[in-house]
Amino acid sequence: MVRLPPVIGHRGLSALAPENTCAAIHAAYSHGISWVEIDLSLLGDGTAVIFHDDTLERCTQHQGHLVDINREDLAWLDAGSWFSHEFASEPIPTLAEMLSLLSTYHMGLNLELKAQPHVSHATIVRCAYSHIKKYWKSSQPIVISSFDHDILLAYRKADPDALLAMLYEDLQPDWQSVAHRIQPLSLHCHYPELTQDSITAIKSKGYQIAAYTCNNLNEAIQLWQSGIDTLFSDQAHLFTQYLNNKAE
């Protein structure tokens, strides 16, 4: 059985480099982080890229919607200067580039599939599945997650052996029936909304549980003690350092 690590870098190591970029992956690897989480979105021409938002404003120097740009536009988009001048001209990576980089480092991956307006579930699943089959060469596993559980159901049909994770902001009352259909490896929940009862219930059904996005070490320790298997963190290097020191 695949066991998730205690810490996963959120959008790479996004405390030290711009999120969802190759620079954030280099930073994670250099700090001994074995797994990262990144976000898959599609451009207007169907190009698969690593980007979280539907719009460009927050993580680039430009405005507009992601679906209004195409692959050739990636050459002039700057996805690093918003973070610091050190990362000026850092590009938005394609999914192919990112999977290849992570495979070179033999890192584990949680790939979140973003639901997008006017993009069908079938298109998103087909794109992710085909890229993974072609480019994923890492010795570590890949987990597919999404807040849109219909996307996960579609992915389960495309790949019966896939490792899937159900994302929740608030754990819903029907989570058990949904999980029965999806058969996930894990549930990933917003940590302030988790209760000890919900953690116990999820674990009792045999699912692993991950909490996002925790950046405070004292809170992290409490979450691990409560039974959480994995934490997503922008500060994953600090958590990893703590765990390494504790193991010595």
Side-chain angles (χ1 to χ4, degrees):
M1 179 181 178
V2 172
R3 298 297 307 180
L4 295 173
V7 181
I8 295 177
H10 183 238
R11 304 177 192 171
L13 185 46
S14 55
L16 300 184
E19 67 179 58
N20 280 322
T21 63
C22 291
I25 303 306
H26 295 312
Y29 180 76
S30 68
H31 283 81
I33 297 166
S34 60
W35 278 64
V36 293
E37 179 268 352
I38 55 175
D39 302 288
L40 168 62
S41 298
L42 301 183
L43 304 183
D45 62 355
T47 299
V49 296
I50 305 304
F51 202 79
H52 179 272
D53 297 358
D54 288 331
T55 58
L56 296 167
E57 285 85 352
R58 185 176 65 86
C59 291
T60 77
Q61 300 293 88
H62 308 279
Q63 297 184 343
H65 289 84
L66 200 64
V67 294
D68 292 333
I69 64 172
N70 296 321
R71 187 184 184 95
E72 57 266 25
D73 296 314
L74 297 179
W76 53 264
L77 279 168
D78 175 359
S81 292
W82 70 272
F83 188 87
S84 77
H85 293 303
E86 176 186 354
F87 298 100
S89 301
E90 181 72 25
I92 296 173
T94 65
L95 176 59
E97 291 168 342
M98 189 63 86
L99 292 177
S100 296
L101 174 60
L102 290 165
S103 293
T104 298
Y105 284 151
H106 288 283
M107 297 174 77
L109 173 61
N110 181 162
L111 180 65
E112 181 182 340
L113 307 187
K114 309 295 290 185
Q116 293 177 262
H118 313 300
V119 181
S120 71
H121 294 161
T123 298
I124 295 168
V125 168
R126 184 167 55 249
C127 177
Y129 180 79
S130 62
H131 276 73
I132 289 168
K133 289 298 181 184
K134 183 174 182 180
Y135 295 105
W136 189 248
K137 309 298 181 185
S138 176
S139 57
Q140 297 296 316
I142 182 168
V143 174
I144 304 297
S145 67
S146 185
F147 283 101
D148 191 320
H149 299 150
D150 288 334
I151 290 178
L152 294 180
L153 284 168
Y155 205 97
R156 173 61 72 214
K157 292 179 181 178
D159 185 356
D161 298 322
L163 301 174
L164 304 181
M166 296 161 54
L167 271 164
Y168 281 105
E169 180 79 23
D170 296 304
L171 191 66
Q172 297 300 303
D174 66 345
W175 72 265
Q176 293 188 53
S177 62
V178 178
H180 180 73
R181 289 185 291 149
I182 292 175
Q183 292 297 301
L185 173 72
S186 53
L187 277 68
H188 299 176
C189 304
H190 190 215
Y191 83 91
E193 314 303 327
L194 281 170
T195 65
Q196 187 63 60
D197 285 345
S198 61
I199 293 169
T200 301
I202 292 168
K203 300 281 286 185
S204 71
K205 296 300 180 181
Y207 305 116
Q208 295 176 60
I209 181 167
Y212 69 90
T213 303
C214 180
N215 292 320
N216 180 282
L217 182 57
N218 289 330
E219 289 180 324
I221 293 169
Q222 292 175 359
L223 287 165
W224 284 318
Q225 291 174 343
S226 72
I228 296 294
D229 297 289
T230 302
L231 295 177
F232 294 94
S233 180
D234 304 320
Q235 303 272 7
H237 58 307
L238 301 182
F239 292 6
T240 299
Q241 183 180 45
Y242 165 79
L243 293 171
N244 289 341
N245 291 340
K246 185 180 179 183
E248 291 178 355

